[in-house]
Amino acid sequence: MTSHVLVPDNVHQKAIDILESTAELRVSAPGKLERATLLAAVVDAHALIIRSGVTADAELIAGAPQLKAIARAGVGVDNVDLDAATAQGVLVMNTPGGNTISTAEHSIGLMLALSRHIPQGHQSLAEGRWDRKAFTGVELKGKTLGIIGLGRIGQAIATRAQAFEMSVVAHDPYLPPEIAVALDAPLLALDEVYARSDYLSLHALVTDETRGMINADSLARMKRGVRIINAARGALINSADMAEALRSGQVAGAALDVYEQEPPPADHPLIGLPNVVHTPHLAASTSDAQITVAVEAAQLIVDFLLEGKAANVCNPAG
Ligand code: MLT
């Protein structure tokens, strides 16, 4: 029997080529679909390949009675209702390694842009001004970077920050301490990381514990003038509290790639503040990473549908 694989997002052509060269599969790759079209398209799908722009919620999963697997071309599966998938026997898989370097490099880029006011300087010159005084920056050398979540991406950031002669400390309740010791990025209690960091880079998953962890209370426990980088998930930050801390100077600057709602609303409290640098969820958007995650996701689906092999499973009971 032919299985229908639907790719309702902009996933690299190499993934489509792999799927289309597999005789047992029928492939639809219409690009990014509006919600109503998406709901109609999933009705006879056996597998989906998605990026963060598609929300595979309970309604979508229930509307796809033949669905067997969802492959996420990326890391985060917060856009998939894992419980609904499990209840319907749908396996959810991701591609956890493919984005690591791109995301780490973007985070370092954000840290430099924040420290040297690069977007603001660019904008000022583009508008015809020659203002050197307004954009005096700070060096990374000799500063302490605190990393919240020392997984693959956090570790890649640690080694890159050390190349800039930064000291690195980290908080990660799940990492074996010997990995942090080998990295020279000691694991500390959260408060200790807050107290010591000149820069704080977030790389945690959103859970009940971490949702809104950067809030008025935690911000008050940080060093005055801390700079915060978030290329993980917007929901880690309470945006109203962060805006207040940016206005008061408790936080000197923030660099953001992710937002609780994407795209963020026009009146988002952090967008457009003079000491905030922002990008539209670009950290994993390199041709290198998009090829890697797309090819991995396509291979996961082929292996599962044709051979029953599952890897990188995010809902083990699925
Ligand atoms: C991820 O979770 O893989 C990244 O945020 C990139 C993306 O969602 O496309």
Side-chain angles (χ1 to χ4, degrees), residues 4-135:
H4 177 206
V5 183
L6 175 67
V7 188
D9 206 339
N10 299 317
V11 169
H12 198 278
Q13 183 59 36
K14 288 202 174 178
I16 315 303
D17 294 344
I18 291 175
L19 299 169
E20 285 180 341
S21 65
T22 308
E24 295 84 348
L25 303 180
R26 176 167 66 86
V27 185
S28 323
K32 182 120 178 69
L33 293 180
E34 290 306 317
R35 179 80 180 169
T37 323
L38 173 63
L39 289 178
V42 294
V43 170
D44 68 344
H46 297 95
L48 294 177
I49 298 184
I50 59 171
R51 293 181 58 193
S52 56
V54 171
T55 304
D57 54 14
E59 182 193 21
L60 181 138
I61 291 167
Q66 312 207 51
L67 195 62
K68 294 189 172 69
I70 299 175
R72 165 74 165 92
V75 185
V77 286
D78 45 338
N79 54 329
V80 180
D81 188 326
L82 294 179
D83 292 338
T86 303
Q88 203 173 300
V90 176
L91 195 75
V92 181
M93 299 174 278
N94 71 348
T95 59
N99 285 340
T100 303
I101 300 304
S102 291
T103 306
E105 288 182 358
H106 195 74
S107 303
I108 295 284
L110 287 173
M111 189 156 64
L112 287 165
L114 184 60
S115 303
R116 305 305 300 271
H117 311 293
I118 293 171
Q120 295 91 334
H122 170 98
Q123 190 59 27
S124 164
L125 186 54
E127 287 168 3
R129 291 187 295 280
W130 183 256
D131 192 351
R132 299 176 67 206
K133 210 168 161 198
F135 302 122

Side-chain angles (χ1 to χ4, degrees), residues 1 30 58 62 76 109 152 171 175 196-197 220:
M1 193 198 82
R152 288 182 177 82
H171 177 77
L175 190 80
R196 284 168 60 164
S197 299

Side-chain angles (χ1 to χ4, degrees), residues 202-239:
L202 309 180
H203 301 285
L205 294 174
V206 178
T207 63
D208 289 345
E209 258 170 82
T210 62
R211 185 180 298 280
M213 68 185 290
I214 306 302
N215 54 34
D217 177 53
S218 56
L219 288 162
R221 286 182 275 131
M222 293 177 197
K223 247 189 197 180
R224 187 165 176 82
V226 63
R227 290 177 170 83
I228 298 179
I229 299 105
N230 187 13
R233 284 296 180 262
L236 297 172
I237 293 179
N238 178 316
S239 299

